[in-house]
Amino acid sequence: MRRVSATAARWRVPLPGGPVLDSPHARGARPGSMDLTLIQSLAVPGTTKIVLLSLDGLGGFPHPDTGRSELETARIPHLDGLARRGSCGLLRHVAPGVTPGSGPGHLGLFGYDPLRYLVGRGVLEALGIEFELRPGDVAARGNFCTVDAEGRITDRRAGRIPTSRCVELVERLREVRPAGVEVLVEPVKEHRFVLVLRGTGLSGRLSESDPQATGRPPVPVHALGPEAERAAALVNDFVGQARHLLRDAAPANMVLLRGFDQLPELPRFPTVFGLEAAGIAAYPMYRGLARLVGMDVLKTGATFAEEVATLEAHWDAYDFFFLHYKDTDKAGEDGDFPAKVAALERLDALVPPIEALRPDVFAVTGDHASPAVLRGHSWHPVPLVVTGAYAAADAVERFSERACAGGSLGTFPAHHLMPLLMANALRFTKFGA
Amino acid sequence: MRRVSATAARWRVPLPGGPVLDSPHARGARPGSMDLTLIQSLAVPGTTKIVLLSLDGLGGFPHPDTGRSELETARIPHLDGLARRGSCGLLRHVAPGVTPGSGPGHLGLFGYDPLRYLVGRGVLEALGIEFELRPGDVAARGNFCTVDAEGRITDRRAGRIPTSRCVELVERLREVRPAGVEVLVEPVKEHRFVLVLRGTGLSGRLSESDPQATGRPPVPVHALGPEAERAAALVNDFVGQARHLLRDAAPANMVLLRGFDQLPELPRFPTVFGLEAAGIAAYPMYRGLARLVGMDVLKTGATFAEEVATLEAHWDAYDFFFLHYKDTDKAGEDGDFPAKVAALERLDALVPPIEALRPDVFAVTGDHASPAVLRGHSWHPVPLVVTGAYAAADAVERFSERACAGGSLGTFPAHHLMPLLMANALRFTKFGA
C-alpha cells in the first residue's frame, strides 16, 4: 500500500486544472467558494482514521397506519446510541427538492458537489457492471425496444425481456463493426445493456436516440459540438446495423441509446483530502463510484458482515474507509416497509464491530432517501450522525429523520460533510491567520 | 463627524471595481449571489443604531468531566437574558469544517465573504502591530530561524528568542538597503517580525522562503507572475544581506519569510452599508481589521470596561459600533477552561451598560470558536443572539452552543449577519417591486 508522503499530502500537489495554493492570489478561479482546491490547501497529514458508512436510501417516511417512519419503527439501539453520543443533522444531496440518483448521491458524500461534477448515465451504467471504462471511451445506456413494421416504437422496454435473452441479443450486437473504432456491448439486466465506443478522437457530446415516447421512430443521434461528429456517425451506423441484426428478434427488435458520456476527470479523493482511502461495497455500482474518485476498492463478499470483516482486515492500512450497505435502498424501492425496517435492524447489529475498531471519526448517513411509501428515491434530506472526540452530543436521542432535524449540525449540503469529517479528525489547518 | 448624505448612501456610489446599480443588467459578474454591490443598492439612510459585539473565540466545547461547555458552565445572566428576549442561531465562518483565523473570522462578521476577500498573512501581521501599511506596500511575516554551517534550517523559530533580542536583531536588519526601494522591518513577539517593502511597481505575488521543514535551506522566493519579478529579486537580495548581518547571531542567524501580500482593495464598510461606523478594540489586530474596511477606529484603553466607556462617549456620533473582547480567545488558546468561564462572566457583567444605551439592534457573537479542550481555534459554529424590536424571542433560553443550535435563525454564514442586522435596523429597502 502506498503511503501519502507528508509533503505530497499537504500543500503542493496541484489539482487537475487548479493552481498550487501558496498565496492568497493563487486561490483559483472561483473566489468565494469552498471548492476542492481550497480543501486540498487546508488538508494536513494525520494519523486519525475516518469511517463513512452509507446506508443506501436510508431516509424514509412515516407509514400511513402508524405515523412512524422505517427508522422510527426499527429497533436500532446501536444507531440510537451513536445519535445520543454524537452530533446529528440532515444531509441534503444535490439541492432542495431534488431527488438524487445513486451517482450524485455518493459523489456528494465523497465531497464533490454533484451539480459541479457531472457523471453521465452511460458512465454510471458502465460502473454499475464494473466495466473497466478507459479515458476517452464513450459509454451509453442501451435499451432493447419494440418497433412496428414502420419502425415506430411500440414498447420502449421490449416487454422487459428476461436477462438471458438480453445476453443472447448482446452477442448479436457484438457483430457490429463500425470502421476504425472498437464497439463493446455488455448486458445489464432485462432489456438494459451498455454500449461503449473505444477509439481515438471520440466525444460523448451526443444527443439521445430515445424519443422517450411510443408511436415515433428512434431519433438519429446528432453531435452537440463539432468534436462529436465522428462519434455521432459511428453511433448512427451502429443503430442501423443493430436494426438489421435484430430484425427477427421481436419484441426486442431495435435499440434505444441515451446518456452518452465519457469518464469525467475528477480530482482524486486521496489527493484532495490527503487520505489513504478505501471503498468497501458488495455492489458493483458503489465499487465503481469509489474507484471513480480514486479510492482503493477492497475485495469483499456479498454481505455487510463480510464488508465489516474486510474493514477489520485492512484497518491498519488506510486512513479513510467508505462502507456501503445496499439492503435499505432495495427494500425502499420495492415499497416494502417491513423489509426496510428489517434491513435497518440487521445493519444495526453490525455497528458494534465497527465501533470496536475505535475510528477517530465515525459518520453514518445515506446517499438519498428511499421511503417505502414512495417506492423509490426521494428528495427528503437524510439523517446523519457524526461521532468523535470533537463532535459534541446534542439533544438528539434517536437516529431518525425527525430527531436528526433538531440536531446541532442542522440541514446542510452533502458535499460539506467531508470537510466536517476532516475537521473532526483534526486533519485541516486554519484558514488565514 | 461626516454624515453620509441620503443620495450618496443610496444608489449611485460605485464600489471599487463594481458597477453602479441602475439596471438589472448592470448587476455585475456574479449573478445569483448576495454580494456587496447588491447590499449597497438596498441600504437606505436611517437614524437607528447597531452594536455588534464580537467575543473573540466565543464558541467552546463540553468539558470531558462535566459534559458542559464554557458557556454552559459560566454564570452569564445578562447574556442569557439577551438569548431569552432575542433571536438566536449559530454563525459558520468561512465554510463547514474550516477553522477561521482572526482575519477571515472578523471579515465575515463585517459582511465580507472571507473566501472572496482574501487578506494575506503578511498584511494581517502588519495590522496586528498597527503598522500603517500603504497601498502598494508588500508585507510579509518574518521568522528568525537557526541555520547550520551548511545553511540548513535546524530550528524554524530560533529557539523562540525573547522579544528584546528580536528588537535588537530587527535593528540590524534595518541596515539592509536594496536599491530603489524602502525596507521597513518591525519586531512583533519572540522570533516574529514584519517585513515591508515600500516602492512603486511592487507586487506581493511571491512564493515563500520557508520550506516548512528543518534539514533544508531556506528556499529562494520566486515571482508567481511577471509583475512580481522585481519584488522577488528585492526579497532575495534582502534575505542574502540578512544572512550576512546575522552570521554571528545564532540561534537567530537567518530569516524565513512567508505570506507576502499587499493591502487588499476592499469595498469600504461605511459605503457598502451606508453606516457611520466605529471600531472599538483594545488589541491592535482588531483595530487594524476595522481600519482595513474603513471604520473609524476610536482611541480606547486596555480593558473592556474602557471600551464600553469609549462606546458611551461616542454614542451620538455613529450609527454602527464594532466592539471586540479578547479574553475569551486567550483563555481558549491557553486551554484554560476555568479562565474562559471567568472571562465570559467578566464580560457578562458589562452587558448592562451597553444595553442601557438602548441600541436599536444589539448582536453578540464571535469570530470563531476557541474551545479550551482544543487549545486553539476550531471549526465549530459560533453562538449568536440578535436583539431588537424586530428580532422575536424564540425558544432559546440560554446563550450557549447547543441552545443556539435550536434558535430561529438557524446556522448560517457569518457574512450574512450584517445584512440581517441592517434589516433589523430598518436600513434595507425592498428588493424588487
Side-chain angles (χ1 to χ4, degrees):
Chain A
M1 192 219 50
R2 296 152 298 114
R3 269 274 156 208
V4 176
S5 77
T7 33
R10 276 193 80 201
W11 298 92
R12 309 287 163 187
V13 181
L15 296 178
V20 172
L21 267 176
D22 50 13
S23 108
H25 305 293
R27 280 200 188 117
R30 270 172 48 116
S33 76
M34 173 69 173
D35 60 16
L36 298 180
T37 308
L38 176 63
I39 287 171
Q40 184 177 346
S41 78
L42 295 175
V44 292
T47 56
T48 50
K49 288 184 192 287
I50 301 171
V51 173
L52 171 58
L53 169 55
S54 167
L55 311 189
D56 205 298
L58 168 64
F61 196 83
H63 192 285
D65 295 346
T66 64
R68 292 200 308 274
S69 74
E70 296 90 327
L71 275 168
E72 289 165 343
T73 306
R75 249 190 57 83
I76 45 171
H78 301 111
L79 290 171
D80 288 344
L82 293 175
R84 258 195 309 281
R85 293 198 306 282
S87 302
C88 296
L90 293 174
L91 286 188
R92 198 182 58 221
H93 298 265
V94 190
V98 176
T99 295
S102 297
H106 275 96
L107 281 184
L109 291 182
F110 298 159
Y112 299 74
D113 180 350
L115 289 174
R116 189 165 179 203
Y117 296 97
L118 304 170
V119 182
R121 175 178 278 268
V123 170
L124 289 172
E125 202 77 9
L127 294 176
I129 55 168
E130 277 194 299
F131 181 93
E132 295 265 357
L133 271 187
R134 298 184 193 164
D137 286 356
V138 171
R141 149 90 183 254
N143 273 14
F144 287 104
C145 69
T146 315
V147 293
D148 64 16
E150 283 73 45
R152 288 181 305 240
I153 301 164
T154 57
D155 183 340
R156 289 179 55 251
R157 293 180 188 83
R160 293 188 183 276
I161 50 167
T163 304
S164 56
R165 181 68 176 149
C166 179
V167 172
E168 288 167 21
L169 294 175
V170 159
E171 228 14 274
R172 283 201 204 177
L173 293 181
R174 287 176 177 155
E175 290 168 26
V176 180
R177 297 260 186 278
V181 75
E182 197 176 346
V183 169
L184 304 150
V185 198
E186 290 294 335
V188 181
K189 197 182 164 188
E190 298 176 342
H191 56 289
R192 289 154 51 198
F193 64 88
V194 172
L195 170 70
V196 174
L197 300 185
R198 179 166 289 167
T200 52
L202 298 177
S203 162
R205 295 198 56 212
L206 297 170
S207 70
E208 317 202 318
S209 83
D210 185 346
Q212 299 274 354
T214 54
R216 287 191 258 163
V219 188
V221 162
H222 62 265
L224 299 176
E227 72 280 17
E229 305 237 333
R230 178 157 171 259
L234 290 165
V235 168
N236 288 325
D237 181 13
F238 172 86
V239 172
Q241 293 194 43
R243 170 102 205 252
H244 182 72
L245 289 167
L246 300 172
R247 63 192 180 284
D248 63 350
N253 61 354
M254 187 46 172
V255 295
L256 295 173
L257 298 170
R258 58 197 169 112
F260 291 95
D261 202 6
Q262 296 175 292
L263 268 185
E265 268 200 51
L266 298 178
R268 290 184 72 251
F269 182 95
T271 308
V272 171
F273 295 102
L275 294 169
E276 282 293 302
I280 307 178
Y283 272 63
M285 166 72 90
Y286 311 95
R287 289 199 294 269
L289 286 164
R291 192 174 288 120
L292 187 65
V293 299
M295 294 185 199
D296 287 355
V297 172
L298 304 183
K299 199 172 142 53
T300 191
T303 68
F304 191 69
E306 288 168 289
E307 289 189 25
V308 173
T310 303
L311 175 72
E312 289 163 343
H314 292 79
W315 184 247
D316 291 335
Y318 293 91
D319 308 314
F320 176 91
F321 294 90
F322 156 61
L323 258 81
H324 182 263
Y325 180 65
K326 180 68 179 171
D327 298 2
T328 31
D329 183 54
K330 262 170 70 170
E333 296 223 13
D334 291 344
D336 191 337
F337 195 100
K340 191 161 175 194
V341 169
L344 289 166
E345 293 181 346
R346 280 199 306 279
L347 182 282
D348 190 75
L350 288 162
V351 167
I354 301 173
E355 286 197 271
L357 294 166
R358 304 180 64 86
D360 297 282
V361 180
F362 181 24
V364 184
T365 187
D367 59 338
H368 56 78
S370 282
V373 299
L374 274 157
R375 294 182 167 274
H377 295 199
S378 82
W379 62 92
H380 299 90
V382 179
L384 163 71
V385 58
V386 178
T387 62
Y390 305 109
D394 49 28
V396 179
E397 307 227 324
R398 290 232 31 198
F399 190 61
S400 75
E401 298 81 2
R402 282 184 275 214
C404 287
S408 59
L409 298 177
T411 300
F412 65 100
H415 65 279
H416 293 170
L417 175 61
M418 270 307 301
L420 187 67
L421 301 187
M422 289 289 287
N424 273 279
L426 304 183
R427 284 175 170 268
F428 264 172
T429 189
K430 192 159 61 174
F431 177 78
Chain B
M1 190 220 49
R2 295 153 298 116
R3 269 275 156 208
V4 176
S5 79
T7 33
R10 277 192 80 199
W11 297 94
R12 307 287 161 186
V13 182
L15 297 178
V20 173
L21 267 178
D22 51 7
S23 105
H25 304 294
R27 281 204 186 111
R30 274 173 41 116
S33 75
M34 173 71 174
D35 60 16
L36 298 180
T37 309
L38 176 61
I39 287 171
Q40 184 177 346
S41 77
L42 297 175
V44 292
T47 57
T48 49
K49 288 183 190 292
I50 302 171
V51 173
L52 170 59
L53 169 55
S54 167
L55 311 189
D56 206 297
L58 169 62
F61 196 84
H63 192 287
D65 295 346
T66 64
R68 293 200 307 275
S69 73
E70 296 90 328
L71 274 169
E72 290 166 341
T73 305
R75 250 189 56 82
I76 45 171
H78 302 109
L79 290 171
D80 288 343
L82 292 175
R84 257 195 309 283
R85 292 198 307 283
S87 303
C88 294
L90 292 174
L91 287 188
R92 197 183 57 219
H93 299 264
V94 189
V98 177
T99 295
S102 297
H106 275 95
L107 280 184
L109 291 182
F110 298 159
Y112 300 73
D113 180 349
L115 288 174
R116 188 161 181 205
Y117 297 97
L118 304 169
V119 183
R121 178 177 277 266
V123 169
L124 288 171
E125 202 78 8
L127 294 177
I129 54 166
E130 277 196 299
F131 182 92
E132 295 266 359
L133 270 187
R134 298 185 193 161
D137 286 357
V138 171
R141 150 92 183 252
N143 273 13
F144 287 104
C145 70
T146 315
V147 293
D148 65 17
E150 282 75 43
R152 289 180 304 237
I153 300 163
T154 57
D155 184 341
R156 290 179 53 249
R157 295 180 187 83
R160 293 189 183 274
I161 49 167
T163 305
S164 56
R165 181 68 176 150
C166 179
V167 171
E168 288 167 18
L169 293 174
V170 159
E171 237 0 286
R172 283 201 204 176
L173 293 180
R174 287 177 176 153
E175 291 168 26
V176 180
R177 297 260 186 278
V181 75
E182 197 177 346
V183 170
L184 303 149
V185 198
E186 292 292 335
V188 180
K189 196 180 163 190
E190 297 175 343
H191 56 288
R192 289 156 51 198
F193 64 88
V194 172
L195 170 70
V196 173
L197 300 184
R198 179 167 290 169
T200 53
L202 297 176
S203 161
R205 296 198 56 208
L206 297 170
S207 71
E208 317 202 318
S209 84
D210 185 346
Q212 302 272 354
T214 55
R216 287 191 259 165
V219 188
V221 161
H222 62 266
L224 298 175
E227 73 279 17
E229 307 237 330
R230 180 157 171 260
L234 290 165
V235 168
N236 288 326
D237 181 12
F238 172 86
V239 172
Q241 293 193 42
R243 171 100 206 252
H244 182 72
L245 290 166
L246 300 171
R247 64 192 179 282
D248 63 348
N253 61 354
M254 188 43 173
V255 296
L256 295 172
L257 298 170
R258 57 196 169 114
F260 291 94
D261 202 8
Q262 296 175 291
L263 268 186
E265 270 201 49
L266 298 178
R268 291 184 71 251
F269 182 95
T271 308
V272 171
F273 295 101
L275 293 168
E276 282 292 303
I280 307 177
Y283 272 64
M285 165 72 92
Y286 311 95
R287 288 199 294 270
L289 286 164
R291 191 173 290 117
L292 188 66
V293 298
M295 294 186 199
D296 287 356
V297 171
L298 305 181
K299 200 173 142 53
T300 191
T303 67
F304 191 70
E306 288 169 289
E307 288 189 26
V308 173
T310 304
L311 175 72
E312 289 164 342
H314 292 78
W315 184 247
D316 291 334
Y318 292 91
D319 308 314
F320 175 92
F321 294 90
F322 156 62
L323 259 80
H324 182 263
Y325 180 65
K326 180 69 180 173
D327 297 3
T328 32
D329 182 54
K330 263 171 67 170
E333 296 222 14
D334 291 344
D336 191 337
F337 195 99
K340 190 161 177 194
V341 170
L344 289 166
E345 294 181 346
R346 279 199 307 280
L347 181 282
D348 190 76
L350 288 162
V351 168
I354 302 173
E355 286 197 271
L357 294 166
R358 305 180 61 85
D360 297 282
V361 180
F362 181 22
V364 184
T365 186
D367 59 338
H368 56 78
S370 283
V373 297
L374 273 156
R375 295 182 167 275
H377 296 199
S378 83
W379 63 92
H380 299 91
V382 179
L384 162 72
V385 57
V386 178
T387 62
Y390 306 108
D394 49 28
V396 179
E397 308 226 324
R398 289 232 34 199
F399 191 60
S400 76
E401 299 81 3
R402 283 185 273 216
C404 287
S408 58
L409 299 177
T411 300
F412 65 99
H415 66 280
H416 292 172
L417 175 62
M418 269 307 300
L420 187 68
L421 302 186
M422 289 290 286
N424 274 278
L426 303 183
R427 283 174 169 270
F428 262 174
T429 189
K430 191 158 62 179
F431 176 76

